[in-house]
Amino acid sequence: MGRERAKAILDRLGVGAAAAGGAELLESVNPATGQVQGGIRAATRGDYDGRVAAALRRFEEWRMRPAPKRGEVVRRLGELLREHRDALGELVSLESGKIRAEGVGEVQEMIDICDFAVGLSRQLHGLTIASERPQHRLMEQWHPLGAVGIVTAFNFPVAVWSWNAALAAVCGDVCLWKPSPLTPLCSAAVQALCDRAAKEHGAEGVFNLVPGGADVGTWLCDDARVPLISFTGSIATGKTVAARVAARLGRALLELGGNNGVIVLDDADPDLAVRAITFGAVGTAGQRCTSTRRLFLQRGLARGLIDRLVAAYRSVRIGDPLEPGVLMGPLITRNAVERYRAALATAREQGGKVICGGAALDRPGNFVEPALVLAPRHEAFPIAWEETFAPILYVFEVEDLDEALRAHNAVPQGLSSAVFTNSLRSAEQFLSPAGSDCGIANVNAGTSGAEIGGAFGGEKETGGGRESGSDAWKAYMRRQTSTVNWGRDLPLAQGITFGT
């Protein structure tokens, strides 16, 4: 049934069957059933080089096309995504295991970033700077960077690509996309829509798909023709990517792991906190980089809030992500299930107590129960310093906000964070330089569900990259400082005189 469902969607989007020959077949396995539902061929080295060459040929023209005209291509892509939102969202669910609402929401995020990029195409700007020299104009301008390599992960198989590609395209760059080999059908479907939009506007070669495994990623990292590599994935792989790209003095935009914490103070609204924590920890089966993994409860409300969380967890319906009423689908692979089991075993060895969930379900697919773990002191619980991509939430009791912040900031990751409080002072302390050390800090909102208008990314081992909104567009361009002398003299800066 899954294979027929996936094929029907691909047919609707204009994706043909995988060609024979060439490199290995990247099979799509439905994580809810364990059954193969299709596949595409990985790029050979010849395929890769051909697509890079074609992209660079297009870049010669694309960089000179006015930015608002480049925006028209992205606008058309957004229109096609609107037309096929529900079908593509269903395909996201079939491949990644996230529930239908999240799959459709991911495609809506692509639509939103296309809208954002179209507006941005008329707002790319530099500065005019006061010159110390008479009859001189000093200015800063931004130019397209070139080819951008985009390496994405399974958990957001299409949205993260769009954060990069939509912005890079209006900035005048061409894109080379290496998707996760776990979600090949989603990438093929999106590429089919890109091809349609590009063909209608004479922009073939702006968006390019180079599917494959680690070998394709290595080709991108080592390719001096690709000045920027945007990588989303694990910290360990991100360090390898950073080293390889740095070896050729290229740029790396890194979106790596998160170990996200929520602090709940005694004066918080408990209903609000429980809803946000449950979605943050259980949504996408705990497989978001922004998933809530650590919870710090002030002692005055800890017991009551834990009881509420247990009740909320027990109400979570687990099953087929496309079935109405299901709130949590499967983990992506059997290996992910084993990592979930191993993390809980380690948590028990280190003094943690599993008070809810914690079992892998005996049924087809990669289903587990979301787990709540009462933990000892944070510094005595090493497993909580690691990121396990699974619905496991470690719960700590703390005396006050100061203790919570010390523990919260102690881990090497720094992506998303949140505090729940009705105290203005506590909220402002959390947002101050002495507060959360993460790239995302929320008050009375959970760690998951970032909007596209703000720059997305984190600090420390999360990589320091920023994608999507705000001024993240600057990562895809090169800055140029220019001086125009419109006078007849040649004064030098710093008052230097040089007689000839």
Side-chain angles (χ1 to χ4, degrees), residues 141-150 173 220-224 226-231 241-254 472-480:
Q141 55 184 354
W142 296 82
H143 291 311
L145 192 58
V148 174
I150 305 168
D173 299 321
L220 280 167
C221 289
D222 293 347
D223 195 339
V226 185
L228 173 65
I229 301 298
S230 175
F231 172 81
V241 168
R244 297 194 79 102
V245 176
R248 60 175 174 86
L249 299 182
R251 299 188 195 181
L253 194 167
L254 303 174
W473 60 270
K474 293 179 178 179
Y476 308 95
M477 304 198 82
R478 57 181 177 89
R479 186 194 311 247
Q480 185 180 79

Side-chain angles (χ1 to χ4, degrees), residues 12 30 43-44 63 76 80 119 127 149 152 183 209 220 224 242 246 253 275 301 327 343 357 398 492:
R12 200 179 321 163
N30 186 329
T44 64
R63 64 185 174 181
R76 179 56 180 148
L80 291 171
L127 299 172
T152 57
T183 52
L209 184 64
L220 280 167
L253 194 167
R275 292 201 302 273
L301 94 167
L327 295 179
V398 294
L492 301 177

Side-chain angles (χ1 to χ4, degrees), residues 52-361:
V52 173
L56 293 178
R57 286 194 298 271
R58 171 55 61 188
F59 177 63
E60 296 295 315
E61 178 273 335
W62 186 244
R63 64 185 174 181
M64 296 303 295
R65 193 179 297 199
K69 296 298 184 183
R70 300 193 294 251
E72 290 302 314
V73 181
V74 177
R75 183 196 305 277
R76 179 56 180 148
L77 176 59
E79 290 170 351
L80 291 171
L81 289 168
R82 277 185 170 86
E83 291 175 25
H84 300 286
R85 188 190 69 161
D86 291 348
L88 184 54
E90 184 173 328
L91 187 63
V92 169
S93 294
L94 285 170
E95 278 210 299
S96 72
K98 58 178 62 175
I99 62 174
R100 185 189 295 274
E102 290 187 276
V104 172
E106 181 170 350
V107 182
Q108 183 62 50
E109 192 166 359
M110 300 176 76
I111 296 166
D112 294 344
I113 198 65
C114 285
D115 286 350
F116 180 92
V118 172
L120 178 65
S121 72
R122 293 182 180 271
Q123 299 182 68
L124 300 172
H125 57 81
L127 299 172
T128 298
I129 304 164
S131 174
E132 67 183 71
R133 291 172 283 181
Q135 296 181 317
H136 280 60
R137 179 158 64 92
L138 181 62
M139 59 185 175
E140 175 186 280
Q141 55 184 354
W142 296 82
H143 291 311
L145 192 58
V148 174
I150 305 168
V151 183
T152 57
F154 76 86
N155 58 334
F156 280 85
V158 290
V160 171
W161 168 83
S162 69
W163 293 355
N164 289 271
L167 267 61
V170 298
C171 287
D173 299 321
V174 291
C175 304
L176 299 156
W177 179 18
K178 193 206 89 64
S180 167
L182 298 175
T183 52
L185 302 183
C186 287
S187 63
V190 170
Q191 185 62 40
L193 298 181
C194 288
D195 291 345
R196 284 178 58 185
K199 186 175 182 180
E200 291 172 14
H201 289 81
E204 295 91 336
V206 171
F207 302 109
N208 304 274
L209 184 64
V210 284
D215 53 346
V216 179
T218 299
W219 300 339
L220 280 167
C221 289
D222 293 347
D223 195 339
R225 298 171 296 176
V226 185
L228 173 65
I229 301 298
S230 175
F231 172 81
T232 302
S234 70
I235 290 170
T237 304
K239 289 179 177 179
T240 300
V241 168
R244 297 194 79 102
V245 176
R248 60 175 174 86
L249 299 182
R251 299 188 195 181
L253 194 167
L254 303 174
E255 296 288 356
L256 309 179
N259 193 354
N260 314 293
V262 170
I263 299 169
V264 185
L265 302 180
D266 285 346
D267 62 0
D269 179 335
D271 291 332
L272 194 66
V274 167
R275 292 201 302 273
I277 294 162
T278 303
F279 173 71
V282 175
T284 325
Q287 297 174 114
R288 293 183 178 222
C289 52
T290 56
S291 290
T292 305
R293 310 204 182 282
R294 297 176 300 144
L295 178 61
F296 302 94
L297 302 178
Q298 196 168 7
R299 287 197 170 87
L301 94 167
R303 188 65 262 168
L305 200 78
I306 289 169
D307 289 344
R308 286 172 177 254
L309 279 172
V310 169
Y313 267 51
R314 287 177 175 162
S315 72
V316 171
R317 186 176 167 195
I318 305 165
D320 181 346
L322 291 172
E323 187 177 318
V326 167
L327 295 179
M328 192 180 105
L331 296 180
I332 189 66
T333 62
R334 295 306 301 173
N335 283 341
V337 175
E338 293 310 312
R339 288 192 291 271
Y340 161 89
R341 284 177 165 145
L344 288 174
T346 301
R348 292 184 178 98
E349 292 169 3
Q350 293 177 358
K353 181 181 179 183
V354 180
I355 59 169
C356 186
L361 301 185

